[in-house]
């Protein structure tokens, strides 16, 4: 058994026959058509939690993916980008008061990119502090 290199096209399995009498001879043993590149699937079940100055993103593992790209875009056009190996990422939240989107996509072994999944994130409201009471 063997796994052909990625990419489509016609391939050959070549054997080298060596004998005592002299140099070896190459024989084509088989030919086959290699399948084309397969793109990783889209990440599923993306969950985003904003808490304590960070954005935690988790999703389900994609079969065949070796890395994932995570992009956070906020309403003020600020962006944070990370490439991670595991199906989770924790990024610092630059502006918690701004809404935005989180985009996740999977990368295959040969660098091919699957389709992306985008999730909206809401702005975090600052906690209201009680007003000090003035006693008269």
């Amino acid at each position: 058994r063997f796994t052909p290199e990625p990419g489509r096209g016609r391939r050959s399995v070549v054997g080298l026959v060596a004998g005592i009498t002299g140099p070896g001879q190459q024989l084509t043993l088989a030919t086959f058509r290699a399948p084309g590149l397969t793109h990783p699937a889209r990440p599923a079940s993306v969950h985003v939690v904003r808490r304590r100055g960070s954005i935690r993103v988790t999703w389900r593992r994609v079969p065949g993916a070796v890395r994932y790209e995570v992009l956070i875009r906020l309403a003020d056009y600020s962006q944070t980008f990370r490439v991670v190996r595991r199906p989770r990422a924790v990024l610092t939240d630059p502006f918690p008061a701004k809404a935005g989107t989180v985009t996740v996509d999977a990368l295959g072994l040969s660098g091919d990119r699957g389709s992306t999944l985008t999730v909206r994130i809401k702005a975090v409201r600052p906690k209201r502090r009680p007003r000090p009471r003035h006693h008269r």
Side-chain angles (χ1 to χ4, degrees):
R1 289 182 172 225
F2 68 96
T3 304
E5 289 294 316
R8 75 191 291 188
R10 191 169 183 82
R11 309 284 174 87
S12 299
V13 178
V14 178
L16 181 62
V17 180
I20 302 172
T21 59
Q25 182 181 10
Q26 289 186 358
L27 295 174
T28 301
L29 303 174
T31 59
F32 64 95
R33 286 193 164 281
L37 292 174
T38 58
H39 299 292
R42 177 165 45 175
S45 299
V46 175
H47 297 283
V48 181
V49 176
R50 277 180 126 166
R51 190 180 306 149
R52 296 186 190 113
S54 67
I55 299 174
R56 179 181 298 269
V57 186
T58 58
W59 58 92
R60 241 187 252 150
R61 187 175 298 275
V62 175
V66 293
R67 289 188 178 86
Y68 302 94
E69 293 179 339
V70 181
L71 174 65
I72 297 175
R73 287 187 180 139
L74 297 179
D76 65 345
Y77 301 106
S78 64
Q79 296 182 1
T80 305
F81 177 77
R82 293 282 187 279
V83 178
V84 295
R85 292 180 187 262
R86 295 185 177 178
R88 64 179 174 265
V90 179
L91 302 118
T92 58
D93 194 352
F95 302 106
K98 303 286 182 185
T101 60
V102 175
T103 303
V104 179
D105 65 346
L107 298 175
L109 185 62
S110 61
D112 51 326
R113 184 176 279 112
S115 58
T116 62
L117 181 66
T118 303
V119 177
R120 291 183 183 269
I121 55 175
K122 294 181 180 180
V124 176
R125 292 185 185 175
K127 293 194 176 201
R128 296 185 78 197
R129 295 181 184 180
R131 292 186 184 182
R133 293 186 178 197
H134 297 289
H135 297 286
R136 291 187 188 208

